[in-house]
Amino acid sequence: MSGRTHPPILPPQVRIKTFEPYAENLDDRMALYEASRCITCYEPPCKEACPTHIDIPEFIHRIKSGNYYGAAKVIRQSNIFGGECAYVCPVERLCEEKCVRNSLKDEPVAISLLQRFAFEKERKKGIIKFEKAPPKKKKVAVVGAGPAGLSAAYELARKGYKVTVFDSNPKAGGLMLYGILPWKASWEVAESEIKNILEYGIEFVPSKKVSDLKALLNEYGAVFIGAGTSKSAKLGIEGEDLKGVYPAQDFLYDVARHLQKKGKAPDLKGKRVAIIGGGDTAIDASMASLRLGAERVYIIYRRSLAEMPAVPYGRKQAKEEGVEFLLLSSPVRIHGKNGAVTAIECVKMALGEPDQSGRRAVTPIKGSEFKMDIDAVIVAVGQKPDQEALKSFGLKLKNGLIETDNKFATSIKGVFAGGDVVNGGETVVKATAEGKLAAESIDQFLKGGSK
Amino acid sequence: MVSKPDISVKFCGYEIENPFLLSSAPPTCTGEMIQRAFKAGWGGAVTKTIKPDKTPVYDLKNRFGRMGIEDKQLVLFENIEEVSKRPVGTWVKEIKEIKKAFPDKLLVGSLMAEPKEDDWEDLARVISEAGVDMLELNFGCPHGMPERGMGAFCGQRPELIDSLTKAAKRGSSVPVMVKLTPNVTDIAYMAKTAEQAGADATSAINTVLGLIGVNIDTFEPMPSVDGKSTFGGMSGPGVKPIGMRCVAQIAQATNIPVSGIGGISTWKDAVEYLLIGAANVQVCTAVMWRGYRIVGDLVDGLTNYLSDKGFKSVNEIIGKTLPRLTSWSKLDKDWKVVANIDKDKCIKCGVCYIGCYDGGYQAIKFEPNTGKAAEVDEEKCDACSLCYLSCPVPGCITWKRVQQK
């Protein structure tokens, strides 16, 4: 069997001129070829690796047979954000990493491309609707209209509950609309799936910040919190408050709002930008900076490429576009003049032995400090929930996240939570899966409870 | 220095430089085409079937179809094309030209006429005298022609095989080969009939009658001629097992050589046909798909195969497998083996497990996502070979001999 399909991608110099998607999808012929590469394993590791456990061999088999709508149905049955996930999932560390083809010294089946293919066929025809249970009297409130909240809302609405979703943003979607930029997934993808979810009879209350859980519990039988991680972790170094230093979450939000013509992105035209961090967010921020016209973009990361959490696909794209990687380097100070960034000072790092998590520890090399002139810094060293909001909920927290049991129940009876606000910031697919599982717990709770 | 194996074959008194002939079909439509094929390296060619000028033929638009599987375009090919529309005189002229340019290639004239002995005798006389090395009687075409008493109409009637072979033999000044149709109950009987009628060789198979498909959007049968169709002749990789069965049956039943036809695309296919007794092979569909140039690999692949196996001549492999083909009742009922899965090679895909579970003897143990390899329960394994055949890893599943208790 020959290698995997590689649909055309726009050259870097062309694609960085816009924020638009630059990778083509599979056409019917390529999809058939790619689908034919699937061994159709029995209960395979790819399915296990997917947090929503999409029956991957089944949907690929249906593409192979030409039953595209049936393929989309298999995906949607497991994952109500199957389209969005097909575009944004870090498949290199999920399903595709586990593809059995890897054991045959071959490239994995392009599961994400096939999933996009099935989704686009579905979108053209109309997103598949599933049956809904007869209406129940009980009501559920969902705080946060990101993937976790909407996934929970959808599952509960299908079970017949009356669901109201609150979000502080004007549109439902969370990071799918306010954090993920269009070259990764056109916003129309998420919007079509969100519209589909809301059509299950869910009420959406926009631009509403919820703080009083007690009041909500008076009206609703249960509350699900999927508030996400809208804030960035801090570096904790001198100069972080200078003008021109942007937390990555805020930066990506501002770029999204700018593109939506509802806000303003930082002016990076002709500027030298340093992004601190090695995750997918750092990659996103670097590619966004280029698209805003930055002249030089650096990713400064403490470890080496081998330890970098960002998926190889993203790293490759960024590198092709001209992002420069400064590895084994850690910022120690941000220099400024008149309150604005002028330079960043880093120290070289040495890799040590793997720690408990398996990641290799790093230690600064004395006397290896170096300084680079820079006009802007984007800090992408982690994300966290809005701590103000969390405090107002009055829930028991753990490391700045909402603490839950294995059934997604929080310290307040009737209040459940899932997604990034609990797991600390993972993926759309994980949040979707947690919303789905939490909905099961909420259903169990409400069946046993009174309201 | 090891000398190159000899791939020339003998056939009805001729020596052909290699066993690869073009069959009677579109690639041998004209003298110009046959000459190009010879230049490319084909050992011989059978002309597209020549018919008397008084017999009308038509070419429908369209007249081909194909069946693919998954991403493979060609598993079966269908045609409802008729024989050559060209006048006998044109063929006589071109046969002379071909033989002049390529005197050492085997040129076979394919014939078809209505089931009248005189017509066959006359046509055989004219074409053999034009200078072909052999004649091939087309008793096999299963579409169009049989409706008018030709092609498979003759091949399905032993009395016509007998009388028309005899008629052609009377007219011919060269050896006569009879091309048989697989669309009969017992092709060996038809071959014996031809042999008894004086045929010098047989060739098999002509195409297998079938229906290539239906367009499920338009409800048209394929190939569609203004919305309608008829049953046609299947060729291509999918008919190879049928062709091999027929050739083996003929080789077992007759003492005249048989030219093997049916789904030969590669030198490996050709080797298989030779092993079960074909004196040479004829190719059409693969050439229609990829051109005369495929003969380069056919010749080279066969030569390398013979050399790797230590054969000095291709003749050493002709019929080599035939004695191993016997009846079911003569196969050893006491031969016992069980499947064995190589733990280190197993990629834990579970394909063997699900096949055995739903289509076999529930003899494979497999726990998905545990990292454990699939395992055969030797007590339950009935050695049906489903797992062995469906496993995607070469050499992972092998056979283990079980001693009789």
Side-chain angles (χ1 to χ4, degrees):
Chain A
M1 186 79 73
S2 353
R4 137 186 188 136
T5 326
H6 294 281
I9 290 184
L10 284 178
Q13 63 272 27
V14 176
R15 67 187 191 229
I16 60 165
K17 295 207 161 59
T18 78
F19 284 81
E20 292 308 303
Y22 53 79
E24 275 183 34
N25 282 337
L26 301 174
D27 59 23
D28 288 20
R29 183 192 63 84
M30 290 159 92
L32 175 60
Y33 170 87
E34 192 58 41
S36 299
R37 297 183 63 240
C38 177
I39 294 169
T40 337
C41 303
Y42 172 76
E43 291 299 326
C46 60
K47 179 180 172 185
E48 179 75 12
C50 173
T52 60
H53 305 307
I54 293 174
D55 193 342
I56 294 165
E58 180 64 25
F59 98 70
I60 293 180
H61 172 76
R62 291 181 186 206
I63 290 177
K64 228 188 295 188
S65 84
N67 180 11
Y68 302 148
Y69 208 52
K73 189 174 165 186
V74 168
I75 297 163
R76 198 153 299 287
Q77 266 165 350
S78 295
N79 184 341
I80 200 64
F81 282 114
E84 179 74 2
C85 288
Y87 285 94
V88 305
C89 263
V91 288
E92 286 163 287
R93 55 169 185 262
L94 292 172
C95 54
E96 291 185 17
E97 184 189 26
K98 296 292 189 299
C99 176
V100 165
R101 272 214 167 269
N102 292 308
S103 319
L104 290 171
K105 295 175 192 159
D106 192 359
E107 288 176 291
V109 173
I111 299 167
S112 64
L113 294 181
L114 288 167
Q115 193 168 322
R116 287 178 203 180
F117 175 82
F119 166 71
E120 293 302 345
K121 293 283 181 191
E122 180 194 16
R123 184 150 70 125
K124 224 170 147 187
K125 196 166 166 173
I127 290 183
I128 293 156
K129 282 276 187 318
F130 298 107
E131 271 184 48
K132 229 180 113 169
K136 291 185 169 78
K137 281 198 182 127
K138 287 175 183 172
K139 292 172 21 174
V140 182
V142 171
V143 180
L150 289 174
S151 163
Y154 160 75
E155 298 292 343
L156 291 162
R158 271 192 70 189
K159 291 178 195 297
Y161 294 103
K162 196 165 167 10
V163 184
T164 307
V165 180
F166 302 90
D167 197 280
S168 57
N169 278 304
K171 279 184 168 184
L175 95 157
M176 296 185 288
L177 294 192
Y178 299 106
I180 292 166
L181 297 172
W183 74 78
K184 268 188 143 174
S186 154
W187 285 321
E188 288 163 14
V189 170
E191 277 168 346
S192 68
E193 294 190 305
I194 293 160
K195 182 172 169 281
N196 169 62
I197 290 172
L198 296 180
E199 280 166 5
Y200 281 85
I202 294 161
E203 187 193 3
F204 175 60
V205 181
S207 308
K208 166 94 181 156
K209 222 170 186 163
V210 172
S211 52
D212 191 351
L213 288 183
K214 295 250 162 63
L216 271 188
L217 280 171
N218 284 332
E219 199 184 332
Y220 298 91
V223 176
F224 175 79
I225 300 173
T229 46
S230 58
K231 300 292 170 198
S232 295
K234 289 199 157 197
L235 282 170
I237 59 170
E238 192 187 322
E240 207 171 349
D241 51 356
L242 286 164
K243 196 166 165 276
V245 180
Y246 308 98
Q249 305 295 106
D250 293 353
F251 170 74
L252 292 172
Y253 179 85
D254 289 345
V255 176
R257 294 305 275 158
H258 165 76
L259 294 172
Q260 289 158 6
K261 302 195 169 45
K262 297 279 161 73
K264 215 170 160 336
D267 180 12
L268 297 182
K269 207 163 186 139
K271 291 191 174 163
R272 296 159 298 185
V273 184
I275 289 123
I276 318 301
D280 295 321
T281 306
I283 298 289
D284 287 354
S286 74
M287 290 169 75
S289 300
L290 282 174
R291 281 160 177 75
L292 289 170
E295 194 187 287
R296 301 285 293 263
V297 178
Y298 305 95
I299 282 182
I300 299 176
Y301 178 56
R302 339 199 270 158
R303 293 183 170 85
S304 77
L305 222 45
E307 289 79 27
M308 205 178 237
V311 290
Y313 180 82
R315 288 183 339 221
K316 183 169 172 275
Q317 302 300 302
K319 201 165 179 197
E320 271 177 22
E321 292 180 3
V323 173
E324 294 163 69
F325 289 75
L326 289 178
L327 303 168
L328 293 164
S329 303
S330 185
V332 288
R333 192 171 295 109
I334 302 168
H335 296 269
K337 199 177 168 187
N338 304 326
V341 177
T342 55
I344 189 161
E345 190 182 330
C346 302
V347 64
K348 292 303 258 178
M349 307 294 278
L351 274 179
E353 290 305 305
D355 65 8
Q356 279 170 332
S357 72
R359 234 167 35 148
R360 295 178 71 176
V362 276
T363 44
I365 303 170
K366 265 191 194 145
S368 70
E369 288 81 1
F370 64 99
K371 201 168 138 186
M372 292 166 62
D373 291 343
I374 233 69
D375 307 303
V377 176
I378 300 170
V379 182
V381 293
Q383 47 194 313
K384 54 182 190 181
D386 181 345
Q387 297 301 312
E388 297 279 307
L390 287 202
K391 268 175 210 149
S392 73
F393 292 151
L395 296 165
K396 198 174 168 199
L397 306 181
K398 191 181 177 187
N399 301 328
L401 304 166
I402 296 178
E403 192 182 46
T404 63
D405 63 12
N406 59 6
K407 299 248 185 238
F408 302 91
T410 67
S411 57
I412 298 179
K413 201 179 164 197
V415 178
F416 296 77
D420 286 359
V421 77
V422 173
N423 66 37
E426 293 254 3
T427 54
V428 173
V429 66
K430 182 108 191 273
T432 305
E434 291 184 2
K436 188 164 111 175
L437 293 170
E440 285 300 323
S441 297
I442 293 169
D443 183 39
Q444 290 303 317
F445 169 76
L446 290 175
K447 274 180 183 161
S450 55
K451 219 160 209 167
Chain B
M1 181 77 188
V2 185
S3 62
K4 237 168 131 181
D6 178 13
I7 61 162
S8 70
V9 288
K10 289 193 168 57
F11 189 47
C12 295
Y14 297 100
E15 185 166 307
I16 326 173
E17 65 185 82
N18 64 52
F20 302 108
L21 316 183
L22 285 174
S23 67
S24 174
T28 57
C29 236
T30 68
E32 186 271 336
M33 292 172 82
I34 293 171
Q35 292 206 33
R36 273 198 288 122
F38 283 167
K39 211 173 284 172
W42 290 87
V46 186
T47 66
K48 189 157 164 81
T49 300
I50 306 165
K51 48 87 199 170
D53 291 345
K54 63 176 180 181
T55 305
V57 296
Y58 311 93
D59 274 338
L60 298 160
K61 282 83 181 159
N62 345 122
R63 51 186 178 272
F64 298 153
R66 72 164 170 89
M67 188 186 91
I69 289 179
E70 293 182 0
D71 61 330
K72 302 286 174 291
Q73 272 192 310
L74 183 68
V75 174
L76 282 171
F77 188 74
E78 172 178 333
N79 85 88
I80 51 170
E81 181 166 304
E82 295 217 309
V83 298
S84 177
K85 287 177 287 192
R86 309 169 81 232
V88 170
T90 309
W91 274 112
V92 167
K93 182 175 155 273
E94 291 183 3
I95 285 165
K96 288 187 203 305
E97 288 166 4
I98 300 166
K99 278 313 293 182
K100 198 177 161 202
F102 296 94
D104 298 331
K105 302 277 186 179
L106 186 80
L107 183 64
V108 183
S110 169
L111 311 183
M112 185 189 286
E114 285 173 48
K116 293 172 192 159
E117 291 183 29
D118 289 350
D119 287 2
W120 280 92
E121 190 178 330
D122 290 347
L123 192 60
R125 180 170 298 111
V126 175
I127 300 302
S128 64
E129 282 172 4
V132 294
D133 301 305
M134 283 180 72
L135 294 179
E136 184 182 77
L137 312 185
N138 183 342
F139 292 163
C141 175
H143 44 83
M145 311 309 301
E147 293 175 25
R148 288 172 276 148
M150 290 176 275
F153 182 89
C154 303
Q156 287 161 342
R157 287 163 177 77
E159 65 281 10
L160 286 181
I161 293 177
D162 177 68
S163 63
L164 300 178
T165 302
K166 283 174 177 159
K169 280 293 285 182
R170 282 197 298 276
S172 176
S173 51
V174 295
V176 171
M177 161 162 72
V178 170
K179 186 166 179 179
L180 296 164
T181 172
N183 306 302
V184 290
T185 314
D186 183 1
I187 198 168
Y189 182 80
M190 303 300 182
K192 266 190 286 188
T193 306
E195 181 182 26
Q196 279 155 16
D200 301 283
T202 55
S203 54
I205 54 174
N206 206 307
T207 54
V208 182
L209 193 64
L211 173 62
I212 200 77
V214 173
N215 182 326
I216 61 169
D217 293 320
T218 63
F219 315 114
E220 291 168 287
M222 305 307 288
S224 170
V225 181
D226 193 22
K228 292 182 179 172
S229 196
T230 186
F231 304 120
M234 303 300 128
S235 61
V239 306
K240 193 180 113 192
I242 300 169
M244 299 244 292
R245 182 264 296 173
C246 290
V247 167
Q249 285 181 322
I250 293 168
Q252 284 171 333
T254 65
N255 293 310
I256 50 174
V258 50
S259 179
I261 314 170
I264 296 159
S265 309
T266 67
W267 61 268
K268 284 185 183 172
D269 300 327
V271 166
E272 289 183 64
Y273 265 93
L274 295 170
L275 286 169
I276 53 111
N280 54 55
V281 293
Q282 297 186 29
V283 182
C284 163
T285 307
V287 171
M288 291 184 69
W289 224 247
R290 294 288 181 259
Y292 301 131
R293 60 188 171 155
I294 66 165
V295 75
D297 182 53
L298 289 174
V299 166
D300 193 50
L302 173 64
T303 308
N304 291 336
Y305 166 79
L306 293 171
S307 165
D308 289 349
K309 291 280 174 193
F311 294 113
K312 288 184 182 64
S313 161
V314 68
N315 291 302
E316 292 171 53
I317 69 164
I318 292 177
K320 194 173 168 60
T321 296
L322 204 55
R324 294 174 181 246
L325 274 168
T326 182
S327 58
W328 184 89
S329 47
K330 286 187 185 136
L331 298 176
D332 185 358
K333 312 293 178 297
D334 294 329
W335 173 257
K336 294 272 190 293
V337 291
V338 290
N340 183 58
I341 298 169
D342 186 327
K343 279 190 178 62
D344 298 327
K345 285 185 179 157
C346 176
I347 57 169
K348 293 101 187 168
C349 67
V351 165
C352 60
Y353 163 79
I354 196 65
C356 187
Y357 192 63
D358 288 357
Y361 296 81
Q362 299 80 47
I364 293 178
K365 287 176 277 183
F366 177 60
E367 297 163 55
N369 291 299
T370 55
K372 279 191 240 165
E375 208 182 320
V376 176
D377 179 339
E378 294 185 3
E379 290 300 311
K380 285 185 176 177
C381 176
D382 205 38
C384 71
S385 82
L386 183 60
C387 59
Y388 168 81
L389 297 172
S390 60
C391 174
V393 185
C396 178
I397 300 182
T398 50
W399 297 114
K400 201 164 98 181
R401 186 75 196 273
V402 180
Q403 293 306 321
Q404 279 300 103
K405 278 174 195 159

